[in-house]
Amino acid sequence: MVTEKRTVLLVGGAGYVGSVITGHLLRKGWHVRCLDQLIYKNESCAWPYLSVPQYEFMQGDIRDPRFANKALKGVDDVVILAGLVGDPITSKYPDESHAINRNGVASFIDAMQHHPVDRLIFVSTCSNYGLVEVDTAVDENYPLAPLSLYAKHKVEMEQKILGLKGKAGFHPTVLRFATAFGLSSRMRFDLTVNEFVRELHLGKELLVFDPNTWRPYCHVRDFARAIEEVLRAPTSKVAFEVFNVGCEENNFTKLMVVEEIMRHIPRSKVTYQERGADPRNYRVNFDKIRRVLNFTPEISVQQGISEILAALSQGLFDHVEEQRHFFGNYEIFLPTALIPDLKRAG
């Protein structure tokens, strides 16, 4: 069993999920080094932790070997969350996605082999399953069929990592995250549950495409717990293993999400339309992570809806429209000097 007094490098640790993981690990006694390029102008997510002695923040580009080697110096474990996250943002910025999500992550993994790192957790996505025709919840062995550039790069990195068996000095684990929801200091309102709750809370008419398509959901705080469980687990249980992260109870169709929100806001206006731009449809089986790590998420979609509504009703997110770039992955801000390097990196 791994003890807490270790230093964990969170690559992308100031993002929507990363900032929640940061707080969780600090509270549990870990030392946390956060490496983040702040491409969403999300620097405020590091502010709450700057006075914590066990926290260190580094702003840097994972594609730059100088930053990679500096960030890796003296750390025990690495969690890679960084990149352009989600289908829309990678479609909008395909060159940048290729340079960061694929080449940048790959070069960072290569740099790890020159440091005495013990564990690597690579955060992947259940989007890798794509469009599942069978009426069953798919497990980690189900064939991957990524539809988006985002998922295709995740699959490539999974293959690279798992192909290091017998070659790497560190012990990697791939976690395929369900779709995230819940409150975070870098709140995102471009994710299904969060978006639907806010739109209906504001009294807007919500247009829902393909309402009967399935997705698995998981609260950001449960993702943090899952990261902790993998860091604590014996390497014999997690090295070169792939785990879906979530629970069957949080497999929901979009229609089911809307119906749960309408229990709180019964007069909501919702329009449904088939054949949207995103055809993904998948229910996911989470037996493996429950069996091997005894991990089960604690927060239901229903509870997540309630907490978001409570925050909205107290006016905590009244400035979303004035800072849309912060509250969703709509636009990225890269240092001008690095932009010409993107196409060369591809």
Side-chain angles (χ1 to χ4, degrees):
M1 185 69 68
V2 175
T3 59
E4 298 96 328
K5 302 302 180 183
R6 297 166 68 86
T7 297
V8 180
L9 172 63
L10 296 183
V11 185
Y16 173 59
V17 178
S19 56
V20 176
I21 296 172
T22 295
H24 179 86
L25 293 181
L26 287 172
R27 287 190 295 274
K28 294 290 186 175
W30 264 270
H31 294 254
V32 174
R33 178 179 296 163
C34 171
L35 174 64
D36 203 298
Q37 198 177 1
L38 305 175
I39 63 174
Y40 302 108
K41 291 191 174 180
N42 50 310
E43 59 273 6
S44 62
C45 294
W47 296 348
Y49 309 115
L50 293 177
S51 61
V52 180
Q54 291 79 25
Y55 179 77
E56 178 186 0
F57 179 80
M58 294 176 59
Q59 182 175 2
D61 186 345
I62 59 172
R63 294 169 295 150
D64 188 327
R66 295 170 301 172
F67 284 117
N69 288 312
K70 184 178 179 182
L72 286 164
K73 188 175 181 179
V75 301
D76 299 293
D77 309 302
V78 176
V79 180
I80 298 180
L81 303 119
L84 280 67
V85 177
D87 299 353
I89 193 75
T90 52
S91 297
K92 184 176 180 179
Y93 297 98
D95 290 340
E96 292 86 341
S97 177
H98 189 82
I100 297 171
N101 291 15
R102 181 184 181 276
N103 295 351
V105 171
S107 65
F108 195 88
I109 293 167
D110 290 340
M112 284 182 57
Q113 300 195 57
H114 302 289
H115 295 266
V117 173
D118 183 24
R119 296 165 187 248
L120 164 65
I121 299 176
F122 177 68
V123 174
S124 191
T125 172
C126 286
S127 291
N128 294 349
Y129 298 116
L131 178 60
V132 177
E133 299 288 355
V134 296
D135 185 23
T136 186
V138 299
D139 64 15
E140 290 83 355
N141 296 316
Y142 192 82
L144 302 181
L147 300 177
S148 66
L149 188 62
Y150 172 63
K152 287 174 183 176
H153 286 151
K154 287 292 190 184
V155 170
E156 282 190 68
M157 292 304 98
E158 285 191 17
Q159 292 170 342
K160 176 181 176 66
I161 290 166
L162 297 176
L164 292 173
K165 194 166 187 178
K167 305 173 187 176
F170 53 83
H171 304 90
T173 305
V174 172
L175 299 183
R176 291 180 187 150
F177 276 10
T179 300
F181 69 91
L183 296 176
S184 166
S185 57
R186 198 254 151 165
M187 188 61 185
R188 286 181 58 188
F189 285 110
D190 59 336
L191 293 164
T192 303
V193 174
N194 300 355
E195 178 187 12
F196 286 9
V197 172
R198 180 172 179 268
E199 292 293 293
L200 295 181
H201 169 78
L202 293 175
K204 296 182 179 181
E205 182 171 350
L206 179 66
L207 174 59
V208 178
F209 289 98
D210 303 308
N212 294 310
T213 52
W214 289 89
R215 298 281 195 287
Y217 297 95
C218 188
H219 197 284
V220 284
R221 293 202 302 275
D222 282 321
F223 284 146
R225 291 179 50 246
I227 294 291
E228 179 191 1
E229 288 301 322
V230 175
L231 290 173
R232 287 182 178 276
T235 54
S236 59
K237 287 189 174 184
V238 297
F240 292 95
E241 293 291 341
V242 178
F243 296 94
N244 294 330
V245 183
C247 63
E248 285 84 349
E249 292 78 8
N250 281 347
N251 278 316
F252 271 64
T253 64
K254 293 180 184 177
L255 176 60
M256 292 164 63
V257 173
V258 170
E259 289 174 343
E260 288 299 333
I261 300 169
M262 291 182 71
R263 296 179 190 275
H264 301 268
I265 315 171
R267 294 180 178 84
S268 297
K269 298 177 183 178
V270 184
T271 302
Y272 300 100
Q273 186 173 321
E274 300 294 337
R275 298 183 180 179
D278 182 1
R280 289 175 300 154
N281 179 53
Y282 48 91
R283 285 188 295 130
V284 177
N285 179 297
F286 300 97
D287 285 346
K288 182 177 178 181
I289 195 168
R290 182 169 56 246
R291 182 182 72 254
V292 176
L293 298 179
N294 195 31
F295 173 81
T296 303
E298 295 177 344
I299 305 170
S300 67
V301 169
Q302 293 88 338
Q303 289 171 305
I305 289 169
S306 295
E307 73 169 19
I308 297 166
L309 280 172
L312 289 166
S313 67
Q314 293 300 318
L316 296 180
F317 295 106
D318 285 355
H319 55 300
V320 170
E321 295 306 320
E322 290 77 23
Q323 292 181 273
R324 275 182 62 80
H325 65 270
F326 180 87
F327 288 102
N329 291 358
Y330 307 110
E331 184 178 3
I332 64 171
F333 301 86
L334 284 168
T336 305
L338 291 173
I339 292 176
D341 294 336
L342 289 168
K343 290 186 178 179
R344 289 201 295 272

